[in-house]
């Protein structure tokens, strides 16, 4: 048995890990009904999995220990080649487990397509989230405002995200509010999320999009309804309008700080129906992607970073002191 | 193209690699010339059509690729060990994880398994070679050349950096210009030809060349798993071929299948890729299952439990493998019905897999278990693979997958399946059939060290990653912040990674040590085996494998003969002239032309691509008019070979 001790110690450690670590891990510490539903499904499945592991490990340990080759070996039966009863049992048990897992899974898949059950009769806040290497542009069509790399949302109200991308395939993910969905150029996908607690949550693109992928992140601030309305109307009044020229610069690959505008790019382009817009904008600015390790690429990158800085300055200047964020 | 675009410059590690590549090449050339080995190399290896030698070359290449992919892995783990590390920059890290994934799947796992299949399957079915020995050499050399083409990318032109999945439009010219992504397309395309040919070759071999009396349901389980794998290859690889060709058109000839412009469909690439990619997972796991079946049965000294159930479960898995590809992108928003259907099919694949686990356990039940190293790897497989299996079922639950997708939870899952399944099998199979290939066993004591260091290191490396995933750490990030709190578990993971690296070094040392000191086998039956490959009188079978083709009367024929004390002795009057295929240098030359063509395409130098393709067609043409039907080994030569060996 000595040989297998590490495995058991390990299994024990694993169980301890799981039980103690649950509340610390953000996926298992959701702040909204979508994330909570997923957390419940995950925990439900984990118990099944632990059961399966325990059965297999116990059986393995028993058989390997009992039938190891040794003196006074008993029960050797070299022609024991099968048992209909046993085999039927281990066809049926997994089938039952799969059914037990499939039912809640399918239920959740369907319920996650719509707004959370408890806030069904509320009108969801619509936000268009557009990914462009390596930034997130958020448009609030009803409020007619636009933010870059941060979101304000009211708590206890479903938010309908309409996701798309200006270039690479990205994945919109705010782990503490709920699971992710892809944002793709020339396509629109929809994702419902909701925050039940005020606070700041980290969101990011989780689908690899190239060099700047690691910092392709944004913050989500959930606040009271009143605070949200106040922020939205102040932004509308004080923030600068988004010009086409500024938006073109946003289409360049790179990172920018958080920005705020009192109009949205939806006035002239929806990337869900126009997949070529970002590439055209890059062409207008004379930008072309270069072979990564070449000297030309380094120069190009410097040029891009300068453009980004100019864009950031142009936004801050017109803002004056009334930066709403 | 400028010089700074052709050579990768500016990174001291790359300069180091340049120097070591040149030195190694000079060293090899010097050795071959000084010891007059050129002719030996050409006659014995480069022109061989012998399935055993091709198999060994596959395995040697795969071990080299395991080293390359492993170094990639350790570079990544070093970068991730602490938050905000500056060891690799983003671009370099992206290239490394791309090549790590591609190399480990395409150029390590598959060739390793195909190598073992090459060595073992013809022997297991009592055949003298495969159905198309010449084609087999073409398979090997196209794989090898594809691998080499892919591998030079990191010093010439730059490696691909769009991930091994190469999702569009990221992998398009507009977002990933230059030769890097072309290397991926051409390297895989050329190697893919070899894989598809292997699929056809072994399908025919297994169906048509079995020894008399070996009906389908008397085939050893490894042969069965190979047969099923070949069927999957034949259906899956054409999809990859077409997808790669379409992306090549996009990148080189301005078409718009997957691009942002011209209403290209990036989702189409994802679908095609995984329509091949998921069956590919089973291509690398089913032969592993076959090997474990052989090894567990041999070292439990007992017949396999539920032989027919094993076969049916494998056939079910093979069928299912084509019905689950959407689970790689549940988050694409295909709608509730699609996600539900693919959730259920994916979970259902766990059923036959679970059945196999229980059948292996009950093969040991009432057995007499010997803890040899191949058996240790097999037990390690059961214990660890189950973790990969259950987390796979968790990932199959689409609603929950929205949270696991693109995180380290997923990374950990597939490493638990691919390492504990495929890599453990490669090690187990290599050690188990080592005496068949080289005439001596690997040292058992050192082998057990390798097993423990590797298995513990593997768990230390990957188990924490489940928790990192649940804590929101996405895959493919090149660094992370201190505040994320992911630092400690990443450090643990890195330590585990290096333990696996050390285990690999001990394994290589074991090969050297055993080469020097291991006792040479005097019989063909090193492990008291059950199947026909162990029935050859010599440890290493002669090039024609069997002087007399055995007649099979049942499952585990050789074992039953031994039990009954009726192992047939070869009689001189049984020996007849043996027909064997001639060696040929054409496959090697053809593959070299593929290299020229591939390199030309990578750099968009069409003159070179066309010249290379003319060479390829010239060798095809030459072969078409070659009237070499092989030769006969005379009775005298057979008698002499067999006597020497007695």
């Amino acid at each position: 048995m000595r040989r297998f001790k590490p495995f058991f110690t390990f299994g024990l450690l694993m169980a301890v890990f799981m039980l103690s670590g649950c509340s610390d891990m953000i996926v298992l510490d959701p702040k909204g009904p979508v994330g909570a539903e997923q957390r419940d499904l995950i925990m439900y499945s984990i118990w099944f999995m632990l059961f399966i592991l325990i059965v297999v490990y116990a059986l393995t340990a028993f058989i390997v220990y009992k039938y190891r080759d040794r003196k006074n070996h008993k029960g050797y039966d070299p022609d024991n080649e099968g048992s209909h009863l046993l085999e039927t049992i281990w066809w049926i048990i997994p089938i039952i487990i799969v059914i037990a897992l499939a039912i809640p899974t399918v239920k959740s898949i369907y319920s996650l397509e719509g707004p959370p059950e408890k806030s069904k009769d509320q009108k969801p806040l619509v936000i268009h989230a557009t990914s462009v290497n390596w930034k997130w542009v958020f448009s609030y069509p009803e409020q007619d405002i636009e933010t870059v790399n941060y979101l304000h949302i009211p708590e206890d109200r479903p938010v309908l995200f309409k996701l798309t991308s200006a270039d690479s395939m990205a994945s919109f993910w705010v782990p503490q509010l709920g699971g992710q969905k892809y944002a793709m150029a020339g396509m629109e996908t929809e994702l419902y999320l909701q925050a039940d607690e005020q606070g700041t949550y980290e969101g990011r693109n989780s689908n690899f999009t190239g060099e700047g992928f690691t910092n392709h992140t944004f913050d989500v601030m959930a606040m009271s309804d009143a605070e949200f309305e106040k922020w939205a109307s102040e932004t509308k009044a004080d923030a600068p309008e988004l010009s086409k020229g500024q938006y073109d610069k946003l289409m360049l690959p790179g990172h920018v700080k958080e920005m705020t505008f009192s109009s949205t790019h939806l006035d002239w382009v929806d990337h869900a129906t126009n997949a070529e817009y970002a590439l055209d904008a890059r062409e207008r600015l004379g930008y072309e992607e270069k072979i990564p390790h070449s000297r030309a690429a380094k120069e190009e990158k410097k040029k891009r970073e300068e453009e980004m800085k100019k864009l950031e300055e142009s936004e801050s200047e017109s803002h004056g002191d009334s930066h709403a964020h | 193209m400028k010089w700074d675009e052709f050579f990768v410059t500016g990174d001291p590690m790359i300069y180091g690699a340049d120097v070591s590549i040149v030195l190694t090449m000079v060293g090899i050339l010097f050795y071959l010339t000084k010891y007059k080995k050129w002719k030996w190399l050409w006659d014995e290896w480069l022109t061989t059509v012998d399935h055993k030698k091709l198999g060994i070359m596959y395995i040697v290449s795969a071990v080299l690729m395991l080293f390359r992919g492993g170094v990639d892995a350790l570079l990544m783990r070093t970068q991730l060990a602490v938050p905000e590390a500056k060891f690799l920059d983003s671009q370099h890290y992206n290239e490394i994880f791309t090549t790590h994934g591609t190399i480990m799947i395409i150029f390590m796992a598959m060739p390793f398994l195909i190598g073992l299949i090459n060595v073992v399957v013809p022997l297991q079915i009592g055949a003298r070679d495969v159905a198309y020995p010449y084609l087999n050499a073409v398979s090997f050399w196209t794989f090898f050349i594809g691998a080499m083409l892919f591998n030079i990318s990191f010093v010439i032109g730059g490696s691909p950096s769009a991930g091994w999945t190469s999702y569009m439009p990221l992998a398009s010219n507009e977002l990933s210009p230059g030769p890097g992504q072309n290397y991926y397309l051409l390297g895989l395309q050329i190697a893919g030809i070899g894989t598809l040919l292997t699929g056809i070759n072994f399908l025919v071999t297994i169906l048509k060349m079995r020894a008399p009396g070996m009906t389908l349901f008397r085939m050893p389980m490894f042969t069965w798993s190979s047969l099923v794998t070949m069927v999957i290859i034949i259906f899956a690889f054409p999809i990859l071929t077409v997808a790669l060709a379409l992306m090549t058109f996009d990148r080189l000839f301005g078409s718009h299948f997957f691009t942002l412009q011209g209403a290209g469909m990036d989702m189409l690439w994802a679908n095609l890729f995984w329509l091949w990619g998921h069956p590919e997972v089973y291509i690398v796991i089913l032969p592993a299952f076959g090997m474990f079946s052989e090894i567990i049965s041999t070292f439990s000294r007992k017949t396999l439990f539920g032989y027919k159930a094993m076969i049916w479960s494998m056939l079910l898995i093979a069928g299912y493998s084509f019905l689950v590809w959407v689970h790689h992108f549940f988050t694409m928003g295909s709608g509730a019905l699609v996600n539900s259907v693919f959730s259920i099919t994916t979970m259902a694949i766990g059923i036959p897999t679970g059945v196999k686990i229980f059948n292996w356990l009950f093969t040991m039940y009432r057995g007499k278990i010997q803890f040899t190293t191949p058996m240790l790897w097999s037990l390690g497989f059961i214990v660890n693979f189950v973790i990969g299996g259950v987390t796979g079922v968790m990932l199959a639950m689409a609603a929950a997958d929205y949270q696991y997708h693109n995180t380290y939870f997923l990374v950990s899952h597939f490493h638990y399946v691919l390492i504990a399944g495929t890599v453990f099998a490669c090690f187990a199979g290599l050690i188990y059939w080592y005496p068949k290939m080289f005439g001596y066993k690997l040292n058992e004591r050192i082998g057990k060290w390798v097993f423990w260091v590797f298995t513990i290191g593997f768990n230390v490396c990957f188990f924490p990653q489940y928790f990192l995933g649940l804590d929101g750490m996405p895959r493919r990030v090149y660094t992370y912040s201190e505040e994320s709190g992911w630092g400690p578990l990443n450090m643990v993971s890195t330590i585990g990674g290096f333990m696996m690296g050390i285990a690999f070094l001990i394994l290589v040392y074991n090969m050297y040590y055993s080469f020097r000191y291991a006792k040479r086998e005097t019989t063909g039956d090193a492990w008291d085996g059950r199947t026909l490959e162990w029935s050859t009188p010599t440890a290493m079978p002669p090039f024609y494998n069997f002087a007399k083709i055995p007649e099979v009367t049942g499952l585990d024929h050789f074992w039953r003969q031994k039990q009954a004390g009726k192992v047939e002795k070869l009689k001189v009057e049984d020996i007849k002239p043996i027909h064997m295929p001639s060696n040929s240098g054409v496959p090697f030359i053809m593959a070299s032309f593929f290299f020229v063509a591939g390199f030309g395409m990578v750099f968009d130098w069409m003159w070179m691509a066309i010249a290379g393709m003319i060479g390829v067609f010239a060798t095809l043409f030459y072969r078409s008019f070659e009237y070499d039907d092989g030769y006969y080994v005379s009775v005298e030569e057979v008698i002499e070979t067999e006597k020497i060996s007695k």
Side-chain angles (χ1 to χ4, degrees):
Chain A
M1 201 73 292
R2 204 163 33 89
R3 306 170 185 277
F4 296 97
K5 218 171 152 192
F7 290 130
F8 292 120
T9 325
F10 195 70
L12 212 69
L13 267 178
M14 174 185 89
V16 173
F17 237 138
M18 280 200 165
L19 296 173
S20 66
C22 282
S23 51
D24 299 339
M25 290 179 286
I26 56 170
V27 165
L28 302 180
D29 179 28
K31 304 293 183 193
V34 177
E37 179 165 0
Q38 286 162 331
R39 191 254 337 259
D40 294 345
L41 188 65
I42 290 170
M43 291 316 293
Y44 172 82
S45 67
I46 282 181
W47 298 120
F48 278 90
M49 300 313 148
L50 282 177
F51 166 75
I52 295 170
L53 285 180
I54 289 166
V55 169
V56 173
Y57 285 179
L59 206 58
T60 310
F62 168 74
I63 291 176
V64 169
Y65 181 71
K66 178 136 192 240
Y67 295 103
R68 72 193 192 281
D69 191 11
R70 62 187 199 277
K71 280 179 201 156
N72 321 319
H73 184 83
K74 281 192 214 89
Y76 180 48
D77 179 8
D79 295 321
N80 172 293
E81 59 179 15
S83 151
H84 282 298
L85 176 70
L86 283 173
E87 290 186 62
T88 315
I89 292 173
W90 59 66
W91 275 101
I92 288 174
I93 292 178
I95 291 174
I96 294 171
I97 293 177
V98 166
I99 293 171
L101 293 172
I103 293 169
T105 301
V106 172
K107 268 191 190 160
S108 283
I109 292 173
Y110 274 89
S111 85
L112 292 176
E113 292 289 307
E117 188 67 27
K118 64 174 181 181
S119 37
K120 238 185 185 159
D121 24 284
Q122 286 193 59
K123 193 167 127 336
L125 171 70
V126 176
I127 300 175
H128 288 253
T130 306
S131 162
V132 51
N133 284 352
W134 297 283
K135 328 164 216 31
W136 284 99
V137 180
F138 300 108
S139 326
Y140 296 70
E142 287 161 53
Q143 288 73 14
D144 198 27
I145 54 176
E146 184 149 302
T147 61
V148 178
N149 289 342
Y150 79 96
L151 266 173
H152 281 191
I153 57 168
E155 64 170 334
D156 297 325
R157 180 180 166 192
V159 183
L160 170 58
F161 289 99
K162 291 181 179 279
L163 309 171
T164 189
S165 166
D167 45 25
S168 326
M169 187 187 284
S171 189
F172 177 90
W173 189 32
V174 189
Q176 286 195 288
L177 299 185
Q180 64 202 285
K181 198 164 261 185
Y182 284 172
M184 297 170 287
M187 278 290 295
E188 185 169 275
T189 43
E190 293 188 346
L191 177 67
Y192 282 95
L193 292 177
Q194 179 176 327
D196 280 351
E197 271 179 51
Q198 297 188 17
T200 304
Y201 309 115
E202 285 170 14
R204 65 166 302 123
N205 160 33
S206 69
N207 202 52
F208 181 62
T209 45
E211 202 196 339
F213 161 66
T214 299
N215 298 315
H216 196 175
T217 56
F218 58 95
D219 276 335
V220 184
M221 272 143 280
M223 52 191 63
S224 73
D225 215 22
E227 276 177 298
F228 175 78
E229 292 301 336
K230 184 163 165 277
W231 168 79
S233 54
E234 278 179 7
T235 301
K236 182 69 199 156
D238 301 336
E241 279 206 12
L242 174 65
S243 73
K244 281 190 184 179
Q246 282 173 316
Y247 193 68
D248 272 5
K249 285 183 187 167
L250 263 184
M251 295 294 105
L252 289 175
H255 299 286
V256 292
K257 63 178 179 102
E258 296 179 350
M259 290 194 268
T260 317
F261 298 100
S262 62
S263 65
T264 78
H265 73 272
L266 298 176
D267 293 341
W268 65 87
V269 59
D270 181 358
H271 296 276
T273 53
N274 182 352
E276 303 186 15
Y277 186 87
L279 291 184
D280 293 344
R282 286 169 200 181
E283 210 180 308
R284 284 198 287 276
L285 291 168
Y287 167 80
E288 195 193 344
E289 190 85 28
K290 296 287 195 302
I291 297 176
H293 59 85
S294 65
R295 246 171 267 140
K298 289 187 187 88
E299 283 157 27
E300 191 71 60
K301 192 175 177 187
K302 210 181 272 168
K303 226 171 81 189
R304 259 191 294 142
E305 275 163 7
E306 275 161 25
E307 292 282 2
M308 293 288 153
K309 197 156 271 162
K310 271 191 237 159
L311 169 67
E312 287 174 350
E313 280 161 11
S314 75
E315 185 249 9
S316 318
E317 272 165 27
S318 44
H319 244 300
D321 301 326
S322 63
H323 199 298
H325 170 46
Chain B
M1 174 166 279
K2 299 198 191 77
W3 283 110
D4 65 304
E5 290 172 341
F6 186 75
F7 286 114
V8 180
T9 52
D11 187 325
M13 281 198 289
I14 299 286
Y15 292 135
D18 289 334
V19 171
S20 59
I21 289 171
V22 171
L23 285 181
T24 313
M25 297 245 277
V26 170
I28 292 172
L29 294 181
F30 178 76
Y31 175 85
L32 289 171
T33 313
K34 178 159 187 219
Y35 295 94
K36 304 203 168 59
K37 292 280 189 189
W38 284 104
K39 192 170 155 40
W40 166 81
L41 182 71
W42 179 260
D43 288 345
E44 294 288 319
W45 297 99
L46 299 187
T47 60
T48 188
V49 294
D50 181 341
H51 69 96
K52 299 178 288 299
K53 284 187 173 166
L54 288 167
I56 289 170
M57 288 197 285
Y58 264 116
I59 293 168
V60 170
S61 318
V63 171
L64 285 175
M65 289 296 106
L66 179 60
F67 173 74
R68 158 83 211 260
V71 170
D72 283 349
L74 293 184
L75 289 172
M76 284 191 281
R77 280 314 328 163
T78 306
Q79 165 66 18
L80 290 177
V82 291
E84 318 269 9
K86 298 274 186 293
F87 177 60
L88 299 172
D89 65 24
S90 170
Q91 177 62 27
H92 200 168
Y93 184 89
N94 298 343
E95 291 178 10
I96 288 175
F97 78 66
T98 302
T99 53
H100 168 77
T102 315
I103 285 174
M104 285 303 203
I105 291 283
I106 307 278
F107 301 129
M108 190 287 284
M110 237 186 349
F112 212 130
L113 296 166
I114 290 179
L116 288 165
I117 289 172
N118 256 287
V119 172
V120 176
V121 166
L123 286 164
Q124 274 198 336
I125 61 174
R128 288 194 169 122
D129 206 319
V130 295
Y132 311 114
Y134 176 94
L135 203 61
N136 205 14
V138 175
S139 286
F140 170 75
W141 288 111
T142 47
F143 143 70
F144 184 78
I145 285 300
M148 289 303 109
L149 183 64
F150 186 84
N151 269 277
I152 57 164
S153 67
F154 83 110
V155 289
I156 297 175
S159 295
S161 59
W164 91 283
T165 48
S166 287
Y167 270 17
M168 287 292 257
L170 177 63
S172 68
N173 267 337
E174 287 70 31
L175 303 182
S176 304
Q181 185 59 25
N182 297 346
Y183 271 116
Y184 172 94
L185 295 169
L186 274 303
L188 262 63
Q189 190 68 280
I190 294 172
I193 298 171
T195 312
L196 186 56
L197 294 180
T198 297
I200 295 166
N201 206 343
F202 275 85
L203 181 80
V204 178
T205 304
I206 296 171
L207 289 180
K208 300 297 287 185
M209 298 189 58
R210 294 186 313 270
M214 183 177 277
T215 58
L216 283 177
F217 282 95
R218 284 176 184 173
M219 293 198 309
M221 196 47 64
F222 181 55
T223 300
W224 252 112
S225 70
S226 303
L227 175 67
V228 178
T229 305
M230 297 309 146
V231 175
I232 303 181
I233 286 178
I234 291 169
F235 280 99
F237 264 77
I239 307 172
L240 178 70
T241 305
V242 170
L244 290 173
L246 295 182
M247 201 200 276
T248 311
F249 290 164
D250 276 5
R251 287 184 60 90
L252 295 184
F253 309 127
S255 62
H256 293 292
F257 292 104
F258 313 119
T259 58
L260 285 168
Q261 313 98 315
M265 270 291 236
D266 47 359
M267 292 177 292
L268 179 62
W269 167 264
N271 274 281
L272 289 174
F273 182 86
W274 287 112
L275 257 169
W276 159 79
H278 201 83
E280 167 68 15
V281 174
Y282 289 89
I283 291 169
V284 297
I285 202 67
L286 287 182
F289 287 173
M291 282 187 233
F292 291 127
S293 301
E294 301 283 331
I295 291 166
I296 291 173
S297 169
T298 301
F299 295 112
S300 305
R301 331 217 44 72
K302 202 170 148 274
T303 187
L304 190 68
F305 196 90
Y307 175 83
K308 286 209 171 152
M310 285 299 221
I311 293 167
W312 286 114
S313 60
M314 215 149 50
L315 290 170
L316 260 179
I317 292 173
Y320 271 137
S321 76
F322 286 90
L323 302 174
V324 297
W325 80 95
V326 171
H327 72 218
H328 293 274
F329 42 84
F330 278 140
T331 51
M332 200 179 263
S334 313
L337 180 64
V338 171
N339 280 359
S340 299
V341 168
F342 281 92
S343 264
I344 292 169
T345 55
T346 306
M347 281 190 263
I349 234 175
I351 299 168
T353 315
V355 166
K356 294 182 87 69
I357 296 275
F358 283 103
N359 278 336
W360 285 314
L361 286 177
F362 274 75
T363 301
M364 295 189 285
Y365 176 75
R366 313 207 71 162
K368 222 188 249 182
I369 303 167
Q370 297 170 323
F371 297 100
T372 57
T373 35
M375 187 63 176
L376 278 186
W377 285 108
S378 308
L379 290 170
F381 153 74
I382 293 179
V383 170
N384 290 297
F385 186 80
V386 172
I387 300 178
V390 294
T391 49
V393 176
M394 289 169 75
L395 280 153
M397 301 163 71
D401 176 73
Y402 303 157
Q403 288 280 34
Y404 308 132
H405 187 63
N406 275 333
T407 69
Y408 266 83
F409 191 90
L410 169 74
V411 172
S412 186
H413 155 72
F414 67 70
H415 282 94
Y416 261 90
V417 188
L418 288 171
I419 293 182
T422 307
V423 176
F424 278 29
C426 289
F427 289 160
L430 180 68
I431 299 164
Y432 182 58
W433 282 299
Y434 210 79
K436 219 25 39 187
M437 290 184 261
F438 302 105
Y440 55 90
K441 287 180 192 170
L442 285 171
N443 183 286
E444 285 278 289
R445 201 170 48 87
I446 305 176
K448 283 174 187 171
W449 272 99
V450 177
F451 170 75
W452 285 111
V453 176
F454 192 90
T455 307
I456 293 169
F458 162 67
N459 278 289
V460 171
C461 182
F462 290 104
F463 204 75
Q465 294 184 2
Y466 284 121
F467 300 95
L468 284 171
L470 290 175
D471 204 18
M473 181 169 172
R475 68 192 293 206
R476 293 171 168 180
V477 290
Y478 83 102
T479 192
Y480 51 89
S481 68
E482 181 97 52
E483 302 83 66
S484 64
W486 301 329
L489 283 180
N490 269 298
M491 179 54 96
V492 171
S493 184
T494 300
I495 292 168
F498 276 90
M499 284 177 73
M500 293 161 79
I502 291 166
F504 177 78
L505 293 182
I506 309 176
L507 174 74
V508 174
Y509 170 71
N510 196 8
M511 290 178 183
Y512 166 76
Y513 179 90
S514 307
F515 168 68
R516 288 291 300 274
Y517 304 112
K519 185 169 73 64
R520 268 43 186 176
E521 293 294 324
T522 50
T523 70
D525 193 12
W527 302 104
D528 195 7
R530 314 176 68 82
T531 38
L532 286 181
E533 76 268 32
W534 305 109
S535 72
T536 61
T538 43
M540 288 152 75
F543 62 96
Y544 51 76
N545 291 352
F546 300 97
K548 176 176 178 265
I549 300 289
E551 277 193 37
V552 177
T553 55
L555 190 62
D556 292 341
H557 175 72
F558 181 54
W559 166 264
R560 282 172 208 284
Q561 272 192 324
K562 285 191 288 185
Q563 293 304 92
K566 285 196 288 197
V567 181
E568 277 177 69
K569 278 267 185 291
L570 184 67
K571 287 182 230 105
V572 175
E573 57 267 31
D574 287 339
I575 299 175
K576 296 193 176 66
I578 295 171
H579 182 231
M580 292 302 290
S582 312
N583 282 2
S584 171
V586 179
F588 175 74
I589 295 168
M590 182 197 282
S592 305
F593 280 123
F594 264 120
F595 185 88
V596 175
F599 195 81
M601 298 265 274
V602 164
F603 284 91
D604 207 359
W605 298 336
M606 280 308 144
W607 56 270
M608 192 173 173
I610 292 167
M613 283 320 288
I614 289 173
V616 170
F617 280 103
T619 50
L620 280 174
F621 192 74
Y622 173 82
R623 170 66 181 171
S624 305
F625 290 95
E626 200 182 29
Y627 294 101
D628 184 347
D629 285 338
Y631 65 97
Y632 278 90
V633 186
S634 66
V635 174
E636 293 73 41
E637 195 186 335
V638 176
I639 291 173
E640 200 182 328
T641 314
E642 296 291 320
K643 266 190 190 145
I644 288 166
S645 55
K646 265 172 203 167

